[in-house]
Amino acid sequence: MDLTKIASRFRIEKGDKFRLSQIDTNDSGGPSLDKDNSQALLEGCLKRIGELQDVLYAESRHAVLAVLQGMDTAGKDGIIKHVLHAINPQGCEVHAFKQPNAEELDHTFLWRAQKRLPARGHVGVFNRSYYEDVVVVRVHPEFLDKQNLPEVSKDIWQQRFEDIRGFERHLVRNGTLVLKFFLHVSQEEQRKRLLARLDDRDKRWKFSMGDIAERALWPKYMDANEDTICATATPEAPWYVVPADRKWFARLVVASAMVGAMEGMSLQYPKVSSDALKEMAKVRKALEDQK
Ligand code: AMP
Ligand code: MG
């Protein structure tokens, strides 16, 4: 099965005509794919991600930034747990962006993300990101008051989109692969997952009263997310709008998208010069003779 094709169905590079309703949240990739056979495919992708990350780390020229966005319960934490464990922790940093603290509010909205960007050779994962500043803040414009801006232009969201496109272009030009995933869950599936959080003692800690308030604003969130994807999907920093009602399928789409994109980076282990090879041969012989 060609997994790259599955991931590319959900890749948005040019968002001007994109509608969230185009993506069925319950899509599971067609009749030949199911939860049982997906496991082996996922394992294959994870193995490949691990291999590619090894070269990324050794080469130490490029970086990978994976941004995870989505409503509460969409499965962002699950992606981190089940997909990114393929990566050697030494070359990977995950950061969860919560409500900004006082120091963060005293800087521009990109500042805290800038500080967490992956170094060359590393994979960085953002569990939420600077995209909250055009989604949750747009749904709650009162949050803007806390940002102490000297003035709020009527075009603030368009300006922020422009800033984000510029920021991501800068990252790409300097060697970072930027992949953005919107885990697209239905409101009904969220209802079931919230119920599960309430019913399962081990999941209750994840439940927040705030989730219910935000759920009530669902249409506003969908509009803000759709507008954001339209404005910030570019060939160099594409969005993947991932059907997320079935967790196994969402994980497969994210993993295969990462494989496809990382394969495209033409990563290579550093070349060893012929002089260095000759030296190594000498050292090798000396080590053998020490036996
Ligand atoms: P969670 O991801 O469930 O731990 O929740 C983190 C919360 O922080 C979510 O409700 C986000 O919407 C919120 N959050 C993250 N970034 C921002 C931001 N820039 N402004 C306001 N709220 C934010
Ligand atoms: Mg939450």
Side-chain angles (χ1 to χ4, degrees):
M1 177 168 312
D2 188 352
L3 288 176
T4 335
K5 274 206 185 120
I6 294 192
S8 64
R9 271 180 50 211
F10 304 111
R11 182 180 163 109
I12 318 292
E13 294 188 347
K14 205 167 164 287
D16 46 354
K17 295 203 175 63
F18 174 73
R19 293 287 163 265
L20 267 183
S21 55
Q22 279 166 235
I23 306 290
D24 175 7
T25 57
N26 198 34
D27 196 329
S28 59
S32 57
L33 201 55
D34 58 36
K35 188 174 179 176
D36 291 337
N37 67 17
S38 74
Q39 196 53 36
L41 293 167
L42 182 64
E43 292 300 329
C45 284
L46 298 191
K47 184 165 174 284
R48 190 69 192 124
I49 291 174
E51 290 165 356
L52 288 159
Q53 186 223 354
D54 199 56
V55 195
L56 178 87
Y57 190 84
E59 187 200 57
S60 208
R61 286 184 183 275
H62 297 89
V64 175
L65 174 65
V67 171
L68 298 174
Q69 286 291 139
M71 297 293 283
D72 282 307
T73 77
K76 301 182 289 298
D77 296 343
I79 295 284
I80 290 165
K81 202 158 146 187
H82 296 275
V83 176
L84 298 156
H85 77 84
I87 295 177
N88 178 344
Q90 187 152 248
C92 179
E93 292 87 38
V94 181
H95 187 72
F97 289 89
K98 309 283 180 184
Q99 291 198 355
N101 63 27
E103 188 189 19
E104 290 166 346
L105 286 168
D106 270 342
H107 293 81
T108 79
F109 77 97
L110 290 173
W111 180 76
R112 63 178 184 158
Q114 174 85 37
K115 285 204 305 178
R116 301 285 180 173
L117 289 172
R120 298 190 195 284
H122 287 233
V123 177
V125 182
F126 284 178
N127 184 348
R128 303 189 188 270
S129 65
Y130 44 92
Y131 280 104
E132 293 296 318
D133 282 279
V134 286
V135 176
V136 68
V137 179
R138 193 170 183 185
V139 173
H140 292 279
E142 67 276 15
F143 289 177
L144 269 182
D145 299 341
K146 295 197 194 142
Q147 297 190 356
N148 286 330
L149 299 167
E151 61 178 311
V152 177
S153 154
K154 65 174 177 22
D155 298 323
I156 182 158
W157 310 117
Q158 296 309 321
Q159 289 175 348
R160 286 191 172 191
F161 292 149
E162 199 181 310
D163 292 343
I164 288 174
R165 288 194 300 267
F167 178 62
E168 292 177 347
R169 190 172 53 231
H170 169 72
L171 296 181
V172 173
R173 282 178 176 163
N174 285 276
T176 299
L177 173 75
V178 180
L179 300 171
K180 303 169 307 194
F181 297 98
F182 177 71
L183 301 181
H184 189 22
V185 78
S186 67
Q187 200 175 7
E188 171 57 14
E189 181 61 24
Q190 192 202 47
R191 190 182 70 85
K192 290 184 190 153
R193 291 184 188 176
L194 286 172
L195 277 173
R197 280 188 184 177
L198 289 168
D199 291 345
D200 184 339
R201 243 200 277 172
D202 298 343
K203 286 186 179 166
R204 241 169 247 161
W205 66 273
K206 272 197 161 191
F207 181 81
S208 143
M209 284 300 169
D211 296 350
I212 300 296
E214 299 316 301
R215 175 177 163 77
L217 300 168
W218 193 273
K220 286 193 173 167
Y221 271 104
M222 290 306 113
D223 287 349
N225 277 304
E226 183 174 271
D227 216 27
T228 297
I229 293 164
C230 284
T232 56
T234 60
E236 68 269 15
W239 273 101
Y240 290 85
V241 178
V242 181
D245 282 359
R246 301 181 203 228
K247 291 177 179 171
W248 62 265
F249 186 63
R251 289 168 193 167
L252 194 58
V253 172
V254 173
S256 54
M258 286 189 72
V259 170
M262 288 176 77
E263 301 258 20
M265 294 170 86
S266 321
L267 298 166
Q268 281 180 345
Y269 283 108
K271 290 249 173 343
V272 182
S273 69
S274 55
D275 284 352
L277 279 175
K278 276 183 208 150
E279 284 303 309
M280 283 181 189
K282 277 190 215 158
V283 170
R284 189 181 182 288
K285 181 155 187 331
L287 280 172
E288 255 185 1
D289 292 347
Q290 283 174 19
K291 226 176 34 183

